[in-house]
C-alpha cells in the first residue's frame, strides 16, 4: 500500500532568479517522480512546511525537475532562501493533467501570466518535445513589467520552431526599462493573433483576475466551454481529496483538478476567488 | 445469540486483560455520575464501573478513536494493537462509513486511519434512551445499527441479544463461546427487539416532529444570503461544531521534520475559521462568517452528497449540544430547506 504522505527527498542543484519575486528551483528527486504535465506536487522544506506547486519542466524528464515559485508569504519566503545543495521533500504527483491526446492535430492556444506561467512552461516544453503532433502552438505570456518577465533566457530557443509562436506583453514599461515587444494586458494579445477557436483548445493559467477575464474573452471569441482548460488554485493540504480544503462544490481541486474545463466548473461558486 | 449481561461483562474484563491477544476494550462510561442529565465518554474498560450500552451516543465523536486529533501519517509504524470498542451507536457507525469513503475508498488510503480500522472490532448497540439533540431519523438513519458493525447488542431485560454483522467477528464469537454461556435466540427474542426498536424510533420521530424537513437539498445553494445571515447571526465562529462532528474530517498537515527525517503530522482544522481556505496573498473565498457558516451546511448536504452519494450528517446532534451560540443545527436545516423549497 502506497502512503500518499510519503516524502521523497530531493537535492536542489540550481536556483535561478527569474524576476524580483520569482525563482526557479532545479532539483533531482532521490526517486524518479513520474508526472503528467498539469499535475502538481507538494514541495516541502523540512521543519517549515509544504505547499502545492506545479512542476515547470517537461514531463518527459522525471529525475530532474523544475519548480517556479513566487514569493507571496512565509513558506515561499523560506523557499526563496534555499541554495544549491539544499534538501527538499516532494510528495505527489497529484491531480489531473492536460489532456495532450485531445490537443494533437489542433491549433493550441496557451494564455498565462505571472506565476501561472509555471505549469504552462511544463505544458509548452512537453508539447515542444513532439511539436509536429500539433498543428500550431501559440503561447501568450504576460507580466507586469519587463523586469517581471520570467524564463528570459529560453525565449529565443522557443521562437525557433516553425509551428510555434511565443508572444509576450507587459502591462507597463517603467522609466528606465527597455522593452521592444507588446505593451498591453496579455488578454489584449488575443485581438492581435489570428485565432481559430473552432474546436481548438485554449489553456489558461494565471492570477485569478487574469483567468477570469481571459476566460470570458476566449468565450467571446468563440472558444467552446469544453475546450477551455483552467488550472484552479485553491488552498491545499493533502493533495489527494482528504483534507477538503480545496473543495469546489462537489469537486476537489486537488483530485478532480487542478486542470478543469470551464464547462465542468462554470456553475460552481467562488471559482475565481 | 443471547448472553447474560453479567457474563458478558466478565468476558469483557478478561478480554481487556489480554484474552484473545486483544490489548484493550473501550466502552462508554458516564462522564459524571452525579449529573442529572447523563453524558458519556469512551474510556478504557474498568472492572467496577457500570456499563450503559442502551443510552445515546457519547459526547466525543467516534472519530477520536480512529482519526485522532493529532496523528503522525509519515513515516508510519505498525501499531500492533488489537482493540474492541463496545457501545458504538448507529449514528457513529454512519460516521465511520463516511470516513471509510473518504480515507479508504477514495483512491488514496490514509495509512493511520486504516490501521485503527483494521485493528478494531466494533460492537455496537441499540439506543433505548435518547438525547435531547438526537436526530438520526432526520437524515435517513435509525436509532439502531443496521450495518457497519462486527457485533450488535440489543438489551432484553438482563440479557443481550447479539447479532453478527461481519465475518471477522467469528473469532471473537468463538472466544466468547468458550468463556461464557451463549444461548440461541428464539423467534420471540427477535420480536421483542423489533418491537422495542420500533417504539424508540417512534419516540424519536415524535420528538423531532417540529424539526422535520423535506429531505430534498438539491436547491440549497439557491437560498439567498439574507436567509443565511438570519440563521447565522449568533455564530461566533469558534469551530466547536466541526471539531466535535463525527463526520467532519478536514485536516491540517504539519511538517515536523528533523534534520534527519521527514515527518508529517495531521490535525483537525475547521472550515469555520477564517484562515481555513486562505490562499497566496491572503485571499479567501469565504471572508464572512455567514459564508463559512453556510459552507458547513452545504458541505454536509450538497458537496458530500455529491462526493459520497449520501448526506454528510449522521444526526448525532453533537454540534447542537456543543454550540457556544446555542444554535440548533436541526432548526437551521429545517429553515433553509424550507426556504430552498420556496425558491424552487
Ligand atoms: C495546484 C496548485 C499549483 C500551484 N503552482 C504554483 C506554482 O507553480 N508556482 C507558484 O509560485 N505558486 C503555485 N501555487 C500557489 C502556491 O501554492 C502558493 O502561492 C503558496 O503555497 C503560498 O505560499 P505562502 O508563502 O504565501 O504561504 P504561507 O503564508 O506560508 O501560508 C500558506 C500555507 O498554506 C498552505 N497552502 C496550501 N495551498 C495554498 C495555496 N494555494 N495558496 C496559499 N497557501 C496555500 C501552504 O501549506 C502554506 O504553507 C499553486 C497552487 C496550487 C493550488
Ligand atoms: S442520533 Fe440516533 S443513533 Fe445516534 S445516539 Fe441518538 S438515537 Fe442513537
Ligand atoms: S453536523 Fe452535527 S448532527 Fe450532523 S453529524 Fe455533525 S455533529 Fe452530528
Ligand atoms: S459551534 Fe456554534 S458558534 Fe461555534 S462555529 Fe459552530 S455554529 Fe458557530
Ligand atoms: S488538497 Fe486536500 S482535499 Fe484537496
Amino acid at each position: 500500500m502506497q502512503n500518499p504522505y510519503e516524502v521523497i527527498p530531493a537535492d536542489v542543484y540550481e536556483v535561478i532568479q527569474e524576476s524580483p519575486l520569482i525563482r526557479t528551483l532545479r532539483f533531482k528527486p532521490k526517486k524518479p517522480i513520474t508526472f503528467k504535465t498539469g499535475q502538481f506536487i507538494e514541495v516541502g522544506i523540512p521543519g517549515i512546511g509544504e505547499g502545492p506547486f506545479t512542476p515547470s519542466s517537461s514531463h518527459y524528464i522525471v529525475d530532474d525537475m523544475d519548480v517556479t515559485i513566487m514569493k507571496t508569504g512565509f513558506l515561499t519566503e523560506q523557499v526563496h532562501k534555499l541554495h544549491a545543495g539544499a534538501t527538499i521533500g516532494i510528495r505527489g504527483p497529484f491531480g489531473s493533467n492536460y489532456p495532450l491526446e485531445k490537443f494533437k492535430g489542433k491549433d493550441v492556444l496557451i494564455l498565462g501570466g505571472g506565476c501561472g506561467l509555471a505549469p504552462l512552461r511544463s505544458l509548452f516544453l512537453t508539447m515542444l518535445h513532439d511539436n509536429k503532433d500539433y498543428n500550431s502552438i501559440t503561447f501568450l505570456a504576460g507580466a507586469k513589467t519587463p523586469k517581471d518577465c520570467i524564463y528570459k533566457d529560453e525565449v529565443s530557443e522557443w521562437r525557433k520552431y516553425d509551428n510555434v509562436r511565443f508572444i509576450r506583453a507587459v502591462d507597463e514599461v517603467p522609466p528606465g526599462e527597455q522593452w521592444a515587444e507588446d505593451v498591453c494586458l496579455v488578454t489584449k494579445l488575443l485581438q492581435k493573433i489570428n485565432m481559430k477557436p473552432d474546436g481548438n483548445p485554449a489553456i489558461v493559467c494565471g492570477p485569478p483576475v487574469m483567468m477570469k477575464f481571459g476566460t470570458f474573452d476566449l468565450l467571446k471569441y468563440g472558444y467552446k466551454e469544453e475546450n477551455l482548460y483552467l488550472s484552479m488554485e485553491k488552498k491545499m493540504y493533502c493533495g489527494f481529496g482528504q483534507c477538503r480544503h480545496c473543495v469546489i462544490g462537489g469537486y476537489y481541486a486537488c483530485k478532480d483538478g487542478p486542470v478543469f474545463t470551464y464547462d465542468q466548473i462554470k456553475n460552481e461558486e467562488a471559482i475565481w476567488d | 445469540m443471547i448472553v447474560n449481561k453479567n457474563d458478558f461483562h466478565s468476558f469483557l474484563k478478561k478480554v481487556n486483560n489480554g484474552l484473545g491477544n486483544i490489548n484493550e476494550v473501550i466502552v462508554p462510561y458516564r462522564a459524571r455520575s452525579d449529573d442529572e442529565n447523563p453524558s458519556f465518554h469512551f474510556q478504557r474498560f474498568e472492572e467496577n464501573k457500570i456499563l450503559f450500552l442502551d443510552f445515546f451516543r457519547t459526547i466525543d465523536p467516534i472519530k477520536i478513536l480512529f482519526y485522532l486529533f493529532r496523528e503522525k501519517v509519515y513515516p508510519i509504524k505498525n501499531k500492533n494493537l488489537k482493540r474492541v470498542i463496545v457501545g458504538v451507536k448507529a449514528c457513529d457507525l454512519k460516521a465511520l462509513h463516511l470516513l471509510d469513503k473518504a480515507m479508504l475508498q477514495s483512491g488514496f488510503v490514509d495509512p493511520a486511519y486504516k490501521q485503527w480500522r483494521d485493528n478494531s472490532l466494533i460492537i455496537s448497540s441499540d439506543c433505548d434512551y435518547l438525547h435531547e439533540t438526537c436526530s438520526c431519523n432526520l437524515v435517513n438513519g435509525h436509532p439502531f445499527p443496521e450495518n457497519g458493525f462486527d457485533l450488535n447488542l440489543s438489551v432484553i431485560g438482563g440479557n443481550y441479544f447479539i447479532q453478527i454483522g461481519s465475518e471477522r467477528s467469528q473469532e471473537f464469537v468463538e472466544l466468547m463461546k468458550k468463556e461464557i454461556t451463549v444461548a440461541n435466540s428464539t423467534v420471540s427474542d427477535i420480536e421483542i427487539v423489533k418491537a422495542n426498536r420500533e417504539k424508540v424510533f417512534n419516540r424519536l420521530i415524535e420528538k423531532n416532529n417540529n424539526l422535520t424537513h423535506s429531505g430534498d437539498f438539491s436547491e440549497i445553494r439557491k437560498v439567498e444570503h439574507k436567509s443565511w445571515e438570519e440563521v447565522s447571526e449568533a455564530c461566533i465562529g469558534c469551530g466547536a461544531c466541526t471539531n466535535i462532528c463525527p463526520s467532519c474530517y478536514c485536516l491540517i498537515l504539519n511538517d515536523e521534520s528533523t534534520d534527519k527525517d521527514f515527518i508529517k503530522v495531521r490535525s483537525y482544522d475547521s472550515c469555520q475559521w477564517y484562515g481555513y481556505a486562505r490562499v497566496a496573498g491572503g485571499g479567501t473565498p469565504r471572508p464572512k462568517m455567514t459564508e463559512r457558516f453556510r459552507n458547513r451546511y452545504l458541505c454536509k448536504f450538497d458537496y458530500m452528497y455529491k462526493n459520497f452519494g449520501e448526506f454528510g450528517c449522521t444526526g448525532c446532534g453533537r454540534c447542537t449540544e456543543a454550540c457556544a451560540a446555542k444554535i440548533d443545527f436541526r432548526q437551521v436545516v429545517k429553515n433553509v430547506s424550507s426556504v430552498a423549497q420556496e425558491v424552487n
Side-chain angles (χ1 to χ4, degrees), chain B residues 60-63 91-92 95-96 98-99 241-249 300 312 314 316-319:
Chain B
D60 12 60
I62 191 76
K63 72 180 175 187
C91 51
D92 273 352
L96 285 176
L98 289 167
L99 289 176
C241 47
T242 57
N243 275 331
I244 203 144
C245 174
S247 61
C248 275
Y249 55 86
K300 300 277 175 220
T314 72
C316 71
R318 290 183 177 99
C319 54

Coordinates of all heavy atoms in Angstrom, one line a residue, chain B residues 60-63 91-92 95-96 98-99 241-249 300 312 314 316-319:
Chain B
D60 N -17.9 12.6 23.0 CA -16.9 12.6 22.0 C -17.3 11.8 20.8 O -17.9 10.7 20.9 CB -15.6 12.1 22.5 CG -15.6 11.4 23.8 OD1 -16.4 10.4 23.9 OD2 -15.0 11.8 24.8
P61 N -17.0 12.3 19.6 CA -17.4 11.6 18.4 C -16.5 10.4 18.2 O -15.3 10.4 18.7 CB -17.1 12.6 17.3 CG -16.0 13.5 17.8 CD -16.3 13.5 19.3
I62 N -17.0 9.4 17.5 CA -16.2 8.1 17.3 C -14.9 8.4 16.6 O -13.9 7.6 16.8 CB -17.0 7.1 16.5 CG1 -16.4 5.7 16.5 CG2 -17.2 7.5 15.1 CD1 -16.6 5.0 17.8
K63 N -14.8 9.5 15.9 CA -13.5 9.7 15.1 C -12.3 9.9 16.0 O -11.2 9.6 15.6 CB -13.7 11.0 14.2 CG -13.7 12.3 14.9 CD -13.8 13.5 13.9 CE -13.9 14.8 14.7 NZ -14.2 15.9 13.8
C91 N -25.5 6.2 14.8 CA -25.0 7.4 14.1 C -23.5 7.4 13.9 O -23.0 7.9 12.9 CB -25.5 8.7 14.9 SG -25.1 8.6 16.6
D92 N -22.8 6.9 14.9 CA -21.4 6.8 14.8 C -20.9 5.8 13.8 O -19.8 5.9 13.2 CB -20.7 6.6 16.1 CG -20.5 7.9 16.9 OD1 -20.7 9.0 16.3 OD2 -20.1 7.9 18.1
A95 N -20.9 7.5 10.7 CA -19.8 8.4 10.6 C -18.6 7.6 10.1 O -17.8 8.1 9.3 CB -19.5 9.1 12.0
L96 N -18.4 6.4 10.7 CA -17.3 5.6 10.2 C -17.4 5.2 8.8 O -16.4 5.2 8.0 CB -17.2 4.3 11.1 CG -16.6 4.5 12.5 CD1 -16.7 3.2 13.3 CD2 -15.2 5.0 12.5
L98 N -18.8 7.0 6.5 CA -18.4 8.2 5.7 C -16.9 8.4 5.7 O -16.2 8.7 4.7 CB -19.1 9.5 6.3 CG -20.6 9.6 6.0 CD1 -21.2 10.7 6.9 CD2 -20.9 9.8 4.5
L99 N -16.3 8.2 6.9 CA -14.8 8.3 7.0 C -14.1 7.2 6.1 O -13.1 7.5 5.5 CB -14.3 8.2 8.4 CG -14.6 9.3 9.4 CD1 -14.2 9.0 10.8 CD2 -14.0 10.6 8.9
C241 N -18.4 23.1 16.6 CA -19.3 22.2 15.8 C -18.6 21.3 14.9 O -18.9 20.1 14.8 CB -20.3 23.1 15.0 SG -19.6 24.4 14.1
T242 N -17.6 21.8 14.2 CA -16.9 20.9 13.3 C -15.9 20.0 14.0 O -15.7 18.8 13.6 CB -16.1 21.7 12.3 OG1 -15.2 22.6 13.0 CG2 -17.0 22.6 11.4
N243 N -15.3 20.5 15.1 CA -14.4 19.6 15.8 C -15.0 18.5 16.4 O -14.5 17.4 16.5 CB -13.6 20.4 16.8 CG -12.4 21.1 16.2 OD1 -11.8 20.6 15.2 ND2 -11.9 22.2 16.7
I244 N -16.3 18.7 16.9 CA -17.0 17.6 17.6 C -17.8 16.7 16.6 O -18.3 15.7 17.0 CB -17.9 18.2 18.7 CG1 -18.1 17.1 19.8 CG2 -19.2 18.7 18.2 CD1 -18.2 17.6 21.2
C245 N -17.9 17.2 15.4 CA -18.7 16.4 14.4 C -18.0 15.1 14.0 O -16.9 15.2 13.6 CB -19.0 17.3 13.2 SG -19.8 16.4 11.9
P246 N -18.7 14.0 14.1 CA -18.0 12.7 13.8 C -17.7 12.6 12.3 O -16.8 11.8 12.0 CB -19.0 11.7 14.3 CG -20.3 12.4 14.2 CD -20.1 13.8 14.5
S247 N -18.4 13.3 11.5 CA -18.1 13.2 10.0 C -17.4 14.3 9.4 O -17.2 14.4 8.2 CB -19.4 12.9 9.3 OG -20.3 14.0 9.5
C248 N -16.9 15.3 10.3 CA -16.0 16.4 9.8 C -14.6 15.8 9.9 O -14.2 15.4 11.0 CB -16.2 17.6 10.6 SG -17.5 18.7 10.2
Y249 N -13.9 15.9 8.8 CA -12.5 15.4 8.9 C -11.5 16.3 8.3 O -10.4 15.8 7.9 CB -12.5 13.9 8.3 CG -13.0 13.9 6.9 CD1 -12.1 14.2 5.9 CD2 -14.3 13.6 6.7 CE1 -12.6 14.1 4.6 CE2 -14.8 13.6 5.4 CZ -13.9 13.8 4.3 OH -14.4 13.8 3.0
K300 N -22.2 19.4 4.2 CA -23.0 18.2 4.6 C -24.0 17.7 3.6 O -24.2 16.5 3.4 CB -23.6 18.4 6.0 CG -22.7 18.8 7.1 CD -22.1 17.6 7.7 CE -21.0 18.0 8.7 NZ -19.9 17.1 8.7
G312 N -23.7 14.1 4.5 CA -22.6 14.0 5.4 C -22.9 14.2 6.9 O -22.0 14.4 7.7
T314 N -24.8 12.7 10.4 CA -25.3 11.5 11.0 C -26.5 11.7 11.9 O -27.1 10.8 12.4 CB -24.2 10.8 11.8 OG1 -24.0 11.5 13.0 CG2 -22.9 10.7 11.0
C316 N -26.3 13.0 14.8 CA -25.9 12.7 16.2 C -26.2 13.9 17.2 O -26.4 13.7 18.4 CB -24.4 12.4 16.3 SG -23.4 13.8 16.1
G317 N -26.4 15.1 16.7 CA -26.7 16.2 17.5 C -25.6 16.9 18.3 O -25.8 17.8 19.1
R318 N -24.4 16.4 18.1 CA -23.3 16.9 18.9 C -23.0 18.4 18.6 O -22.6 19.1 19.5 CB -22.0 16.1 18.6 CG -22.0 14.7 19.2 CD -20.7 14.0 18.9 NE -20.7 12.7 19.5 CZ -20.8 11.5 18.8 NH1 -21.1 11.6 17.5 NH2 -20.7 10.4 19.4
C319 N -23.2 18.8 17.4 CA -22.9 20.2 17.1 C -23.9 21.1 17.8 O -23.5 22.2 18.3 CB -22.9 20.4 15.5 SG -24.5 19.9 14.8

